[in-house]
PDB file of all heavy atoms in Angstrom:
ATOM      1  N   LYS A  43      -2.094  -2.037 -11.658  1.00 97.00           N
ATOM      2  CA  LYS A  43      -1.912  -0.649 -11.215  1.00 97.00           C
ATOM      3  C   LYS A  43      -0.438  -0.439 -10.766  1.00 97.00           C
ATOM      4  O   LYS A  43       0.275  -1.317 -10.385  1.00 97.00           O
ATOM      5  CB  LYS A  43      -2.848  -0.341 -10.070  1.00 97.00           C
ATOM      6  CG  LYS A  43      -4.300  -0.407 -10.484  1.00 97.00           C
ATOM      7  CD  LYS A  43      -5.207   0.018  -9.280  1.00 97.00           C
ATOM      8  CE  LYS A  43      -6.677  -0.054  -9.674  1.00 97.00           C
ATOM      9  NZ  LYS A  43      -7.514   0.393  -8.497  1.00 97.00           N
ATOM     10  N   GLU A  44      -0.099   0.872 -10.791  1.00 97.00           N
ATOM     11  CA  GLU A  44       1.184   1.216 -10.339  1.00 97.00           C
ATOM     12  C   GLU A  44       1.230   1.285  -8.806  1.00 97.00           C
ATOM     13  O   GLU A  44       0.208   1.391  -8.139  1.00 97.00           O
ATOM     14  CB  GLU A  44       1.556   2.623 -10.877  1.00 97.00           C
ATOM     15  CG  GLU A  44       1.717   2.680 -12.397  1.00 97.00           C
ATOM     16  CD  GLU A  44       2.284   3.997 -12.833  1.00 97.00           C
ATOM     17  OE1 GLU A  44       2.374   4.931 -12.040  1.00 97.00           O
ATOM     18  OE2 GLU A  44       2.593   4.108 -14.070  1.00 97.00           O
ATOM     19  N   ARG A  45       2.479   1.134  -8.273  1.00 97.00           N
ATOM     20  CA  ARG A  45       2.638   1.200  -6.880  1.00 97.00           C
ATOM     21  C   ARG A  45       2.196   2.648  -6.283  1.00 97.00           C
ATOM     22  O   ARG A  45       2.528   3.642  -6.872  1.00 97.00           O
ATOM     23  CB  ARG A  45       4.036   0.944  -6.484  1.00 97.00           C
ATOM     24  CG  ARG A  45       4.227   0.725  -4.950  1.00 97.00           C
ATOM     25  CD  ARG A  45       5.640   0.109  -4.701  1.00 97.00           C
ATOM     26  NE  ARG A  45       5.736  -1.226  -5.284  1.00 97.00           N
ATOM     27  CZ  ARG A  45       6.747  -2.066  -5.071  1.00 97.00           C
ATOM     28  NH1 ARG A  45       7.811  -1.635  -4.337  1.00 97.00           N
ATOM     29  NH2 ARG A  45       6.873  -3.207  -5.677  1.00 97.00           N
ATOM     30  N   GLU A  46       1.416   2.605  -5.280  1.00 97.00           N
ATOM     31  CA  GLU A  46       0.783   3.772  -4.735  1.00 97.00           C
ATOM     32  C   GLU A  46       1.289   4.104  -3.335  1.00 97.00           C
ATOM     33  O   GLU A  46       1.328   3.209  -2.476  1.00 97.00           O
ATOM     34  CB  GLU A  46      -0.767   3.609  -4.750  1.00 97.00           C
ATOM     35  CG  GLU A  46      -1.502   4.751  -4.044  1.00 97.00           C
ATOM     36  CD  GLU A  46      -2.970   4.386  -4.004  1.00 97.00           C
ATOM     37  OE1 GLU A  46      -3.297   3.209  -3.808  1.00 97.00           O
ATOM     38  OE2 GLU A  46      -3.792   5.415  -4.120  1.00 97.00           O
ATOM     39  N   PHE A  47       1.635   5.295  -3.064  1.00 97.00           N
ATOM     40  CA  PHE A  47       2.017   5.740  -1.674  1.00 97.00           C
ATOM     41  C   PHE A  47       0.714   5.793  -0.902  1.00 97.00           C
ATOM     42  O   PHE A  47      -0.164   6.531  -1.249  1.00 97.00           O
ATOM     43  CB  PHE A  47       2.690   7.025  -1.740  1.00 97.00           C
ATOM     44  CG  PHE A  47       3.058   7.589  -0.412  1.00 97.00           C
ATOM     45  CD1 PHE A  47       4.029   7.003   0.428  1.00 97.00           C
ATOM     46  CD2 PHE A  47       2.503   8.820   0.105  1.00 97.00           C
ATOM     47  CE1 PHE A  47       4.320   7.491   1.667  1.00 97.00           C
ATOM     48  CE2 PHE A  47       2.843   9.352   1.274  1.00 97.00           C
ATOM     49  CZ  PHE A  47       3.770   8.711   2.085  1.00 97.00           C
ATOM     50  N   VAL A  48       0.639   5.126   0.270  1.00 98.00           N
ATOM     51  CA  VAL A  48      -0.515   5.084   1.118  1.00 98.00           C
ATOM     52  C   VAL A  48      -0.436   6.102   2.212  1.00 98.00           C
ATOM     53  O   VAL A  48      -1.377   6.807   2.556  1.00 98.00           O
ATOM     54  CB  VAL A  48      -0.785   3.684   1.674  1.00 98.00           C
ATOM     55  CG1 VAL A  48      -1.899   3.704   2.688  1.00 98.00           C
ATOM     56  CG2 VAL A  48      -1.028   2.682   0.564  1.00 98.00           C
ATOM     57  N   GLY A  49       0.727   6.157   2.814  1.00 98.00           N
ATOM     58  CA  GLY A  49       0.963   7.046   3.932  1.00 98.00           C
ATOM     59  C   GLY A  49       2.328   6.810   4.550  1.00 98.00           C
ATOM     60  O   GLY A  49       3.022   5.857   4.189  1.00 98.00           O
ATOM     61  N   GLY A  50       2.693   7.588   5.538  1.00 98.00           N
ATOM     62  CA  GLY A  50       3.959   7.474   6.105  1.00 98.00           C
ATOM     63  C   GLY A  50       4.063   8.126   7.436  1.00 98.00           C
ATOM     64  O   GLY A  50       3.113   8.816   7.923  1.00 98.00           O
ATOM     65  N   ILE A  51       5.154   7.946   8.150  1.00 98.00           N
ATOM     66  CA  ILE A  51       5.389   8.483   9.440  1.00 98.00           C
ATOM     67  C   ILE A  51       6.817   8.927   9.576  1.00 98.00           C
ATOM     68  O   ILE A  51       7.828   8.250   9.028  1.00 98.00           O
ATOM     69  CB  ILE A  51       4.994   7.400  10.532  1.00 98.00           C
ATOM     70  CG1 ILE A  51       5.158   8.014  11.939  1.00 98.00           C
ATOM     71  CG2 ILE A  51       5.893   6.164  10.427  1.00 98.00           C
ATOM     72  CD1 ILE A  51       4.520   7.173  13.002  1.00 98.00           C
ATOM     73  N   ARG A  52       7.013  10.021  10.160  1.00 97.00           N
ATOM     74  CA  ARG A  52       8.312  10.514  10.456  1.00 97.00           C
ATOM     75  C   ARG A  52       8.814   9.898  11.847  1.00 97.00           C
ATOM     76  O   ARG A  52       8.024   9.964  12.826  1.00 97.00           O
ATOM     77  CB  ARG A  52       8.354  12.075  10.638  1.00 97.00           C
ATOM     78  CG  ARG A  52       9.807  12.623  10.812  1.00 97.00           C
ATOM     79  CD  ARG A  52       9.672  14.127  11.230  1.00 97.00           C
ATOM     80  NE  ARG A  52       9.034  14.919  10.226  1.00 97.00           N
ATOM     81  CZ  ARG A  52       8.644  16.125  10.512  1.00 97.00           C
ATOM     82  NH1 ARG A  52       8.751  16.723  11.721  1.00 97.00           N
ATOM     83  NH2 ARG A  52       7.933  16.857   9.609  1.00 97.00           N
ATOM     84  N   TRP A  53       9.912   9.181  11.783  1.00 95.00           N
ATOM     85  CA  TRP A  53      10.246   8.446  12.944  1.00 95.00           C
ATOM     86  C   TRP A  53      10.373   9.177  14.300  1.00 95.00           C
ATOM     87  O   TRP A  53       9.879   8.805  15.299  1.00 95.00           O
ATOM     88  CB  TRP A  53      11.557   7.650  12.715  1.00 95.00           C
ATOM     89  CG  TRP A  53      11.783   6.601  13.723  1.00 95.00           C
ATOM     90  CD1 TRP A  53      12.549   6.713  14.903  1.00 95.00           C
ATOM     91  CD2 TRP A  53      11.338   5.278  13.774  1.00 95.00           C
ATOM     92  NE1 TRP A  53      12.538   5.635  15.587  1.00 95.00           N
ATOM     93  CE2 TRP A  53      11.781   4.667  14.920  1.00 95.00           C
ATOM     94  CE3 TRP A  53      10.535   4.446  12.871  1.00 95.00           C
ATOM     95  CZ2 TRP A  53      11.566   3.310  15.237  1.00 95.00           C
ATOM     96  CZ3 TRP A  53      10.328   3.100  13.239  1.00 95.00           C
ATOM     97  CH2 TRP A  53      10.718   2.640  14.434  1.00 95.00           C
ATOM     98  N   ASN A  54      11.137  10.362  14.214  1.00 94.00           N
ATOM     99  CA  ASN A  54      11.462  11.072  15.417  1.00 94.00           C
ATOM    100  C   ASN A  54      10.264  11.644  16.179  1.00 94.00           C
ATOM    101  O   ASN A  54      10.240  11.581  17.431  1.00 94.00           O
ATOM    102  CB  ASN A  54      12.590  11.966  15.231  1.00 94.00           C
ATOM    103  CG  ASN A  54      12.226  13.076  14.227  1.00 94.00           C
ATOM    104  OD1 ASN A  54      11.161  13.077  13.640  1.00 94.00           O
ATOM    105  ND2 ASN A  54      13.167  14.023  14.063  1.00 94.00           N
ATOM    106  N   ASP A  55       9.283  12.142  15.475  1.00 96.00           N
ATOM    107  CA  ASP A  55       8.257  12.862  16.142  1.00 96.00           C
ATOM    108  C   ASP A  55       6.793  12.252  15.824  1.00 96.00           C
ATOM    109  O   ASP A  55       5.865  12.810  16.299  1.00 96.00           O
ATOM    110  CB  ASP A  55       8.191  14.350  15.824  1.00 96.00           C
ATOM    111  CG  ASP A  55       7.809  14.605  14.368  1.00 96.00           C
ATOM    112  OD1 ASP A  55       7.783  13.713  13.585  1.00 96.00           O
ATOM    113  OD2 ASP A  55       7.661  15.856  14.101  1.00 96.00           O
ATOM    114  N   GLU A  56       6.824  11.174  15.041  1.00 97.00           N
ATOM    115  CA  GLU A  56       5.621  10.413  14.700  1.00 97.00           C
ATOM    116  C   GLU A  56       4.562  11.200  13.941  1.00 97.00           C
ATOM    117  O   GLU A  56       3.413  10.844  13.933  1.00 97.00           O
ATOM    118  CB  GLU A  56       5.021   9.890  16.052  1.00 97.00           C
ATOM    119  CG  GLU A  56       5.929   8.941  16.777  1.00 97.00           C
ATOM    120  CD  GLU A  56       5.247   8.349  18.073  1.00 97.00           C
ATOM    121  OE1 GLU A  56       5.283   9.031  19.123  1.00 97.00           O
ATOM    122  OE2 GLU A  56       4.634   7.314  17.975  1.00 97.00           O
ATOM    123  N   SER A  57       4.966  12.252  13.253  1.00 97.00           N
ATOM    124  CA  SER A  57       4.031  12.955  12.433  1.00 97.00           C
ATOM    125  C   SER A  57       3.711  11.981  11.267  1.00 97.00           C
ATOM    126  O   SER A  57       4.573  11.249  10.777  1.00 97.00           O
ATOM    127  CB  SER A  57       4.564  14.255  11.873  1.00 97.00           C
ATOM    128  OG  SER A  57       5.856  14.067  11.216  1.00 97.00           O
ATOM    129  N   THR A  58       2.434  12.064  10.818  1.00 98.00           N
ATOM    130  CA  THR A  58       1.975  11.153   9.726  1.00 98.00           C
ATOM    131  C   THR A  58       1.378  11.905   8.596  1.00 98.00           C
ATOM    132  O   THR A  58       0.976  13.075   8.662  1.00 98.00           O
ATOM    133  CB  THR A  58       0.973  10.178  10.404  1.00 98.00           C
ATOM    134  OG1 THR A  58      -0.082  10.892  10.991  1.00 98.00           O
ATOM    135  CG2 THR A  58       1.623   9.244  11.371  1.00 98.00           C
ATOM    136  N   TYR A  59       1.213  11.169   7.562  1.00 98.00           N
ATOM    137  CA  TYR A  59       0.535  11.608   6.340  1.00 98.00           C
ATOM    138  C   TYR A  59      -0.249  10.436   5.744  1.00 98.00           C
ATOM    139  O   TYR A  59       0.294   9.291   5.663  1.00 98.00           O
ATOM    140  CB  TYR A  59       1.490  12.254   5.295  1.00 98.00           C
ATOM    141  CG  TYR A  59       0.816  12.548   3.962  1.00 98.00           C
ATOM    142  CD1 TYR A  59       0.155  13.780   3.852  1.00 98.00           C
ATOM    143  CD2 TYR A  59       0.797  11.638   2.965  1.00 98.00           C
ATOM    144  CE1 TYR A  59      -0.467  14.078   2.629  1.00 98.00           C
ATOM    145  CE2 TYR A  59       0.177  11.976   1.747  1.00 98.00           C
ATOM    146  CZ  TYR A  59      -0.470  13.183   1.633  1.00 98.00           C
ATOM    147  OH  TYR A  59      -1.102  13.489   0.494  1.00 98.00           O
ATOM    148  N   TYR A  60      -1.437  10.709   5.204  1.00 98.00           N
ATOM    149  CA  TYR A  60      -2.246   9.642   4.507  1.00 98.00           C
ATOM    150  C   TYR A  60      -2.865  10.230   3.293  1.00 98.00           C
ATOM    151  O   TYR A  60      -3.232  11.349   3.271  1.00 98.00           O
ATOM    152  CB  TYR A  60      -3.390   9.178   5.453  1.00 98.00           C
ATOM    153  CG  TYR A  60      -2.969   8.747   6.835  1.00 98.00           C
ATOM    154  CD1 TYR A  60      -2.906   9.639   7.884  1.00 98.00           C
ATOM    155  CD2 TYR A  60      -2.586   7.384   7.044  1.00 98.00           C
ATOM    156  CE1 TYR A  60      -2.528   9.207   9.187  1.00 98.00           C
ATOM    157  CE2 TYR A  60      -2.145   6.937   8.349  1.00 98.00           C
ATOM    158  CZ  TYR A  60      -2.098   7.883   9.370  1.00 98.00           C
ATOM    159  OH  TYR A  60      -1.766   7.511  10.620  1.00 98.00           O
ATOM    160  N   ILE A  61      -2.975   9.381   2.325  1.00 98.00           N
ATOM    161  CA  ILE A  61      -3.690   9.688   1.145  1.00 98.00           C
ATOM    162  C   ILE A  61      -5.175   9.817   1.493  1.00 98.00           C
ATOM    163  O   ILE A  61      -5.682   9.123   2.352  1.00 98.00           O
ATOM    164  CB  ILE A  61      -3.424   8.884  -0.082  1.00 98.00           C
ATOM    165  CG1 ILE A  61      -3.809   7.407   0.266  1.00 98.00           C
ATOM    166  CG2 ILE A  61      -1.965   8.948  -0.475  1.00 98.00           C
ATOM    167  CD1 ILE A  61      -3.709   6.491  -0.910  1.00 98.00           C
TER     168      ILE A  61
END
Side-chain angles (χ1 to χ4, degrees):
K43 297 184 179 180
E44 294 185 354
R45 191 166 297 185
E46 176 187 34
F47 178 66
V48 175
I51 185 168
R52 188 193 300 164
W53 190 269
N54 60 357
D55 69 353
E56 300 182 271
S57 61
T58 54
Y59 173 85
Y60 307 92
I61 59 173

